[in-house]
Structures are given as structure tokens and as C-alpha cells.
Amino acid sequence: MSKTGVGEGGPLGRRSRSYSRRGEAVRPAPPGQGHGVHLLGTLLAAAERGATIDESGIGFEPRDLRGAIRLGTEANLVVFVVDASGSVAAKDRLKAVTGACVSILQDAYRRRDRVAVISVRGKKASILVPPTRSVDLAKDRLSNARVGGKTPLASGLEETYKLIDREVFKSPGLRSIAVILTDGRTTDGLSRVNAVAGALADRKDVGCVVINCESGRGRVRLNLANDVARALGAPVLSIADFKQAGGSRISV
């Protein structure tokens, strides 16, 4: 699961490509741009200008200098939006999210990713785990999570949008992925869900994935999670596939 393109965030992760001050020099930049010096680009610029070469070297001029466009990798924020309404099913979803959070954070030394968890239950969604790299914090908050009540899914998506906005303000260029665990049912109106989902889909710095948590019991399947995914412009995975992946395939 990935967000395509190249970001401009901090070059401390390994999950997504980014243009930054560090990393491999991939091509020369126009004069006055880029990071550091792109030696080959500078030499070619001097040659194209017809620079003189004598025993003292090449007759460079300031206009020949080319910076380097560097391609590194960046850390990302993974936001889990989990439907915590109901009881048994909600606990199962939280258990799956816990496994994914631990999987991502145990790899955080290399990737430098952070996770956050938003709980969708009651009157409105709330942040269950604030953005963190701490395995212990995530496990503690998730193990003590309350379940039951209504399903304010639109509120969960709104909280996701606002949380990402705050993190981008602190770290410009940050890219995020929102992983929404839901069966598609909501108690705050489908039109509101679609409106907020559309706003998330319009963001170029956010990728979304929907985990369909609809129970396989019974003959009738509503597949409402697919409607949410369409509004988000997001792929859909089953809860079984998500558990099996354990968060290892989540990237932006």
C-alpha cells in the first residue's frame, strides 16, 4: 500500500523517496538551486560555454556552478482510523491495529516512521494514540481503549485531516497514510462521510487505504466499506489480509 510520487520531507526514513539536502545526487539543478555542488553538471556547463583549459585548470565562472538535486528517503506518519463501536468486533479491530503499530514501530529505528490511532466511537472521534515512535505508548493506549457506542465515521475522517494538518505545520513536506478500519456503517450521515472523504482524497500528501471489517457471517454483505473507499479514491483490503500483512506493506 503506497502513496506514489516523491516528497520533500526530512531524509531520515526509508519508506518513501524524497528530495532533500542529503541523499544521492540524481541530476544537476538550475543555477542557484539544489543542494551542494553537482560536479559533472558544473563541468558540462563550463564546457558548453566554451571555458578555457590551461595548466592552471578549467576557467570556471560563477554562472557555471550547478547545484545537485538529491534523492533520499523520508519518514512518514501512519494514521490508523479504527471503528471502535460495537464490542467483540471492535476489540478484534483494535487488536489488528495494535499488531500493525508494533510492526511499524519496531522498524522505526531504520525508517523513523511514526504512528497515530484515532478511535471512532461514541458522539465523536478522538485521538487514542498521538503521533509517536514509542511501541510502549502505542500498546498501552490501545490495550486500555474503550469500545462500544455509535459510529461517527465522518468525525474520524475529519479528525484525521486536522491531525495531519497539525503535523504538516510542524514538519513541512511530511507525507502520511490513513488506514481506515471500518465496515462502512456510520451514524453521522453518508453525505458528510463522502464530503470529508473527498477532502482527504484531494490532498497530494496523504494516501488512504480502507480495511473492510464487515463480518463474513450470513449471506448478505452490504460492502459499504467499498463506498467509503471510492469516496477516498483508496484501495480496499480485507481485515484478514491486513492482519496477515501486520502493517509491513504500509508505505507512502
Side-chain angles (χ1 to χ4, degrees):
M1 296 177 282
S2 64
K3 176 70 174 173
T4 58
V6 181
E8 297 179 353
L12 294 177
R14 295 198 177 190
R15 201 173 285 277
S16 296
R17 297 181 302 161
S18 67
Y19 294 123
S20 59
R21 292 183 178 274
R22 287 175 282 175
E24 179 185 0
V26 292
R27 64 178 183 271
Q33 300 181 26
H35 303 289
V37 177
H38 193 284
L39 181 57
L40 180 58
T42 301
L43 288 170
L44 288 173
E48 289 173 358
R49 180 179 55 79
T52 58
I53 302 176
D54 54 31
E55 64 275 5
S56 62
I58 301 174
F60 287 109
E61 294 184 4
R63 57 178 169 165
D64 300 328
L65 187 63
R66 296 292 185 271
I69 294 178
R70 298 182 179 276
L71 183 62
T73 48
E74 65 185 355
N76 301 290
L77 174 65
V78 181
V79 183
F80 293 97
V81 185
V82 55
D83 176 0
S85 64
S87 54
V88 176
K91 291 179 180 178
D92 187 52
R93 289 190 286 268
L94 286 167
K95 184 178 179 180
V97 168
T98 301
C101 286
V102 170
S103 175
I104 291 169
L105 292 174
Q106 284 178 338
D107 200 28
Y109 177 77
R110 293 189 303 110
R111 301 195 183 215
R112 308 300 293 171
D113 293 329
R114 292 178 299 153
V115 301
V117 181
I118 292 174
S119 172
V120 176
R121 65 171 298 274
K123 294 183 179 179
K124 66 176 185 177
S126 61
I127 298 174
L128 184 58
V129 180
T132 183
R133 292 192 181 102
S134 170
V135 173
D136 291 338
L137 174 63
K139 290 174 70 174
D140 180 65
R141 291 289 186 92
L142 287 163
S143 65
N144 292 300
R146 297 176 61 186
V147 298
K150 297 181 179 180
T151 313
L153 182 58
S155 175
L157 298 179
E158 287 174 345
E159 193 63 51
T160 301
Y161 195 104
K162 291 188 289 186
L163 183 150
I164 291 172
D165 258 357
R166 291 193 296 269
E167 295 305 305
V168 169
F169 179 79
K170 292 185 285 186
S171 302
L174 175 72
R175 293 197 296 172
S176 307
I177 184 166
V179 184
I180 299 98
L181 288 86
T182 180
D183 59 10
R185 293 181 174 87
T186 179
T187 54
D188 49 10
L190 286 175
S191 60
R192 186 179 165 198
V193 169
N194 289 335
V196 185
L200 269 174
D202 288 341
R203 295 188 63 144
K204 295 182 179 179
D205 60 347
V206 181
C208 297
V209 177
V210 172
I211 311 301
N212 188 349
C213 299
E214 185 175 8
S215 172
R217 302 184 186 91
R219 295 182 179 179
V220 179
R221 294 182 63 85
L222 301 177
N223 289 318
L224 297 177
N226 292 351
D227 296 334
V228 176
R230 276 192 290 273
L232 288 165
V236 183
L237 288 179
S238 70
I239 185 68
D241 288 340
F242 177 70
K243 289 177 182 177
Q244 185 176 4
S248 61
R249 285 185 258 166
I250 296 173
S251 62
V252 292

mmCIF file of all heavy atoms in Angstrom, residues 81-104:
data_model
loop_
_atom_site.group_PDB
_atom_site.id
_atom_site.type_symbol
_atom_site.label_atom_id
_atom_site.label_comp_id
_atom_site.label_asym_id
_atom_site.label_seq_id
_atom_site.Cartn_x
_atom_site.Cartn_y
_atom_site.Cartn_z
ATOM 1 N N VAL A 81 -7.349 4.800 11.575
ATOM 2 C CA VAL A 81 -8.680 5.275 11.959
ATOM 3 C C VAL A 81 -9.523 4.024 12.174
ATOM 4 O O VAL A 81 -9.905 3.350 11.211
ATOM 5 C CB VAL A 81 -9.295 6.161 10.856
ATOM 6 C CG1 VAL A 81 -10.625 6.738 11.315
ATOM 7 C CG2 VAL A 81 -8.320 7.272 10.471
ATOM 8 N N VAL A 82 -9.794 3.701 13.431
ATOM 9 C CA VAL A 82 -10.400 2.403 13.723
ATOM 10 C C VAL A 82 -11.798 2.560 14.309
ATOM 11 O O VAL A 82 -12.020 3.339 15.237
ATOM 12 C CB VAL A 82 -9.500 1.575 14.676
ATOM 13 C CG1 VAL A 82 -9.186 2.332 15.950
ATOM 14 C CG2 VAL A 82 -10.123 0.226 14.983
ATOM 15 N N ASP A 83 -12.737 1.848 13.725
ATOM 16 C CA ASP A 83 -14.114 1.806 14.224
ATOM 17 C C ASP A 83 -14.112 1.014 15.531
ATOM 18 O O ASP A 83 -13.938 -0.203 15.531
ATOM 19 C CB ASP A 83 -15.005 1.128 13.174
ATOM 20 C CG ASP A 83 -16.443 0.963 13.644
ATOM 21 O OD1 ASP A 83 -16.759 1.362 14.784
ATOM 22 O OD2 ASP A 83 -17.247 0.413 12.871
ATOM 23 N N ALA A 84 -14.290 1.737 16.650
ATOM 24 C CA ALA A 84 -14.289 1.095 17.968
ATOM 25 C C ALA A 84 -15.691 0.959 18.530
ATOM 26 O O ALA A 84 -15.869 0.752 19.732
ATOM 27 C CB ALA A 84 -13.406 1.883 18.935
ATOM 28 N N SER A 85 -16.708 1.086 17.675
ATOM 29 C CA SER A 85 -18.072 0.862 18.128
ATOM 30 C C SER A 85 -18.316 -0.643 18.194
ATOM 31 O O SER A 85 -17.522 -1.435 17.705
ATOM 32 C CB SER A 85 -19.063 1.520 17.162
ATOM 33 O OG SER A 85 -18.982 0.913 15.879
ATOM 34 N N GLY A 86 -19.431 -1.027 18.801
ATOM 35 C CA GLY A 86 -19.671 -2.461 18.987
ATOM 36 C C GLY A 86 -18.838 -2.960 20.159
ATOM 37 O O GLY A 86 -18.348 -2.198 20.971
ATOM 38 N N SER A 87 -18.626 -4.272 20.229
ATOM 39 C CA SER A 87 -17.869 -4.809 21.363
ATOM 40 C C SER A 87 -16.828 -5.815 20.904
ATOM 41 O O SER A 87 -15.642 -5.516 20.804
ATOM 42 C CB SER A 87 -18.825 -5.451 22.367
ATOM 43 O OG SER A 87 -19.651 -6.423 21.707
ATOM 44 N N VAL A 88 -17.277 -7.039 20.582
ATOM 45 C CA VAL A 88 -16.341 -8.088 20.195
ATOM 46 C C VAL A 88 -15.588 -7.710 18.927
ATOM 47 O O VAL A 88 -14.363 -7.813 18.850
ATOM 48 C CB VAL A 88 -17.067 -9.435 19.996
ATOM 49 C CG1 VAL A 88 -16.098 -10.498 19.501
ATOM 50 C CG2 VAL A 88 -17.721 -9.871 21.301
ATOM 51 N N ALA A 89 -16.317 -7.242 17.916
ATOM 52 C CA ALA A 89 -15.694 -6.874 16.645
ATOM 53 C C ALA A 89 -14.728 -5.710 16.829
ATOM 54 O O ALA A 89 -13.657 -5.673 16.216
ATOM 55 C CB ALA A 89 -16.763 -6.514 15.617
ATOM 56 N N ALA A 90 -15.090 -4.739 17.673
ATOM 57 C CA ALA A 90 -14.220 -3.588 17.911
ATOM 58 C C ALA A 90 -12.916 -4.021 18.555
ATOM 59 O O ALA A 90 -11.833 -3.524 18.204
ATOM 60 C CB ALA A 90 -14.936 -2.567 18.792
ATOM 61 N N LYS A 91 -12.995 -4.932 19.502
ATOM 62 C CA LYS A 91 -11.776 -5.425 20.149
ATOM 63 C C LYS A 91 -10.879 -6.144 19.148
ATOM 64 O O LYS A 91 -9.653 -6.047 19.215
ATOM 65 C CB LYS A 91 -12.148 -6.363 21.306
ATOM 66 C CG LYS A 91 -12.794 -5.639 22.480
ATOM 67 C CD LYS A 91 -13.171 -6.610 23.598
ATOM 68 C CE LYS A 91 -13.809 -5.863 24.768
ATOM 69 N NZ LYS A 91 -14.227 -6.784 25.863
ATOM 70 N N ASP A 92 -11.502 -6.854 18.224
ATOM 71 C CA ASP A 92 -10.731 -7.558 17.196
ATOM 72 C C ASP A 92 -10.013 -6.556 16.287
ATOM 73 O O ASP A 92 -8.850 -6.748 15.925
ATOM 74 C CB ASP A 92 -11.673 -8.442 16.374
ATOM 75 C CG ASP A 92 -10.919 -9.330 15.396
ATOM 76 O OD1 ASP A 92 -9.990 -10.032 15.825
ATOM 77 O OD2 ASP A 92 -11.260 -9.308 14.199
ATOM 78 N N ARG A 93 -10.701 -5.480 15.932
ATOM 79 C CA ARG A 93 -10.084 -4.445 15.096
ATOM 80 C C ARG A 93 -8.929 -3.769 15.826
ATOM 81 O O ARG A 93 -7.866 -3.512 15.246
ATOM 82 C CB ARG A 93 -11.137 -3.415 14.674
ATOM 83 C CG ARG A 93 -12.154 -3.948 13.664
ATOM 84 C CD ARG A 93 -13.016 -2.837 13.113
ATOM 85 N NE ARG A 93 -14.006 -2.374 14.059
ATOM 86 C CZ ARG A 93 -15.250 -2.861 14.148
ATOM 87 N NH1 ARG A 93 -15.637 -3.844 13.353
ATOM 88 N NH2 ARG A 93 -16.107 -2.372 15.023
ATOM 89 N N LEU A 94 -9.117 -3.469 17.104
ATOM 90 C CA LEU A 94 -8.057 -2.834 17.890
ATOM 91 C C LEU A 94 -6.848 -3.757 18.028
ATOM 92 O O LEU A 94 -5.703 -3.297 18.007
ATOM 93 C CB LEU A 94 -8.586 -2.442 19.273
ATOM 94 C CG LEU A 94 -9.514 -1.225 19.300
ATOM 95 C CD1 LEU A 94 -10.224 -1.123 20.636
ATOM 96 C CD2 LEU A 94 -8.723 0.054 19.032
ATOM 97 N N LYS A 95 -7.107 -5.036 18.140
ATOM 98 C CA LYS A 95 -6.006 -5.999 18.213
ATOM 99 C C LYS A 95 -5.204 -5.998 16.913
ATOM 100 O O LYS A 95 -3.969 -6.041 16.921
ATOM 101 C CB LYS A 95 -6.556 -7.405 18.486
ATOM 102 C CG LYS A 95 -5.474 -8.468 18.671
ATOM 103 C CD LYS A 95 -6.089 -9.819 18.992
ATOM 104 C CE LYS A 95 -5.012 -10.885 19.160
ATOM 105 N NZ LYS A 95 -5.606 -12.216 19.465
ATOM 106 N N ALA A 96 -5.912 -5.927 15.788
ATOM 107 C CA ALA A 96 -5.233 -5.884 14.487
ATOM 108 C C ALA A 96 -4.408 -4.616 14.344
ATOM 109 O O ALA A 96 -3.281 -4.637 13.833
ATOM 110 C CB ALA A 96 -6.261 -5.985 13.359
ATOM 111 N N VAL A 97 -4.949 -3.482 14.794
ATOM 112 C CA VAL A 97 -4.227 -2.215 14.731
ATOM 113 C C VAL A 97 -3.002 -2.252 15.635
ATOM 114 O O VAL A 97 -1.930 -1.754 15.268
ATOM 115 C CB VAL A 97 -5.156 -1.045 15.122
ATOM 116 C CG1 VAL A 97 -4.349 0.232 15.343
ATOM 117 C CG2 VAL A 97 -6.197 -0.820 14.042
ATOM 118 N N THR A 98 -3.146 -2.846 16.812
ATOM 119 C CA THR A 98 -2.003 -2.970 17.722
ATOM 120 C C THR A 98 -0.868 -3.722 17.049
ATOM 121 O O THR A 98 0.299 -3.314 17.108
ATOM 122 C CB THR A 98 -2.412 -3.693 19.025
ATOM 123 O OG1 THR A 98 -3.465 -2.964 19.662
ATOM 124 C CG2 THR A 98 -1.216 -3.803 19.977
ATOM 125 N N GLY A 99 -1.199 -4.824 16.381
ATOM 126 C CA GLY A 99 -0.173 -5.607 15.695
ATOM 127 C C GLY A 99 0.516 -4.812 14.608
ATOM 128 O O GLY A 99 1.745 -4.866 14.458
ATOM 129 N N ALA A 100 -0.269 -4.029 13.855
ATOM 130 C CA ALA A 100 0.307 -3.221 12.783
ATOM 131 C C ALA A 100 1.180 -2.107 13.346
ATOM 132 O O ALA A 100 2.271 -1.836 12.829
ATOM 133 C CB ALA A 100 -0.808 -2.629 11.921
ATOM 134 N N CYS A 101 0.718 -1.455 14.420
ATOM 135 C CA CYS A 101 1.509 -0.379 15.046
ATOM 136 C C CYS A 101 2.848 -0.905 15.539
ATOM 137 O O CYS A 101 3.900 -0.296 15.309
ATOM 138 C CB CYS A 101 0.747 0.231 16.218
ATOM 139 S SG CYS A 101 -0.637 1.289 15.752
ATOM 140 N N VAL A 102 2.811 -2.036 16.227
ATOM 141 C CA VAL A 102 4.048 -2.615 16.767
ATOM 142 C C VAL A 102 4.989 -2.991 15.633
ATOM 143 O O VAL A 102 6.206 -2.751 15.701
ATOM 144 C CB VAL A 102 3.727 -3.841 17.649
ATOM 145 C CG1 VAL A 102 5.005 -4.589 18.012
ATOM 146 C CG2 VAL A 102 3.000 -3.403 18.913
ATOM 147 N N SER A 103 4.436 -3.574 14.556
ATOM 148 C CA SER A 103 5.262 -3.962 13.414
ATOM 149 C C SER A 103 5.976 -2.757 12.815
ATOM 150 O O SER A 103 7.173 -2.812 12.507
ATOM 151 C CB SER A 103 4.385 -4.633 12.347
ATOM 152 O OG SER A 103 5.121 -4.912 11.177
ATOM 153 N N ILE A 104 5.252 -1.650 12.662
ATOM 154 C CA ILE A 104 5.841 -0.439 12.081
ATOM 155 C C ILE A 104 6.858 0.181 13.030
ATOM 156 O O ILE A 104 7.977 0.534 12.642
ATOM 157 C CB ILE A 104 4.743 0.579 11.739
ATOM 158 C CG1 ILE A 104 3.906 0.063 10.561
ATOM 159 C CG2 ILE A 104 5.347 1.945 11.394
ATOM 160 C CD1 ILE A 104 2.652 0.867 10.311
#
